[in-house]
Amino acid sequence: MDAIVLLREDHKRVEKPFEQFERDCFSDIRKSMGRRRLTELGEQLEAEKKKASRVPLAVPSAAGQ
């Protein structure tokens, strides 16, 4: 098998447990932080993603600096 096939199989195997973890985790976070604060953080994250570099090695921490 080539690496692509192995990666696809791994993804399929962990997808369902990860989705369950996300639901449980975000439910707990929403309860503790509140929906409004969680929404604000999501908006901040989206804004920062637009400014982020698309080149992984352009990030200072990735370059070992």
Side-chain angles (χ1 to χ4, degrees), residues 24-40:
D24 295 344
C25 182
F26 282 114
S27 176
D28 292 343
I29 291 170
R30 190 180 309 112
K31 287 175 188 172
S32 67
M33 296 181 73
R35 187 177 298 272
R36 184 174 64 198
R37 180 64 181 134
L38 190 57
T39 300
E40 289 171 353

Side-chain angles (χ1 to χ4, degrees), residues 7-65:
L7 285 171
R8 283 184 187 145
E9 289 176 0
D10 284 348
H11 179 75
K12 288 177 186 176
R13 188 171 58 245
V14 300
E15 187 173 26
K16 192 167 186 167
F18 186 77
E19 287 174 358
Q20 181 64 44
F21 170 78
E22 275 187 321
R23 279 193 296 274
D24 295 344
C25 182
F26 282 114
S27 176
D28 292 343
I29 291 170
R30 190 180 309 112
K31 287 175 188 172
S32 67
M33 296 181 73
R35 187 177 298 272
R36 184 174 64 198
R37 180 64 181 134
L38 190 57
T39 300
E40 289 171 353
L41 288 174
E43 291 168 355
Q44 289 175 352
L45 176 64
E46 288 302 314
E48 292 300 318
K49 283 169 58 174
K50 290 176 184 174
K51 296 188 284 185
S53 172
R54 297 276 187 226
V55 182
L57 293 179
V59 178
S61 63
Q65 298 174 350

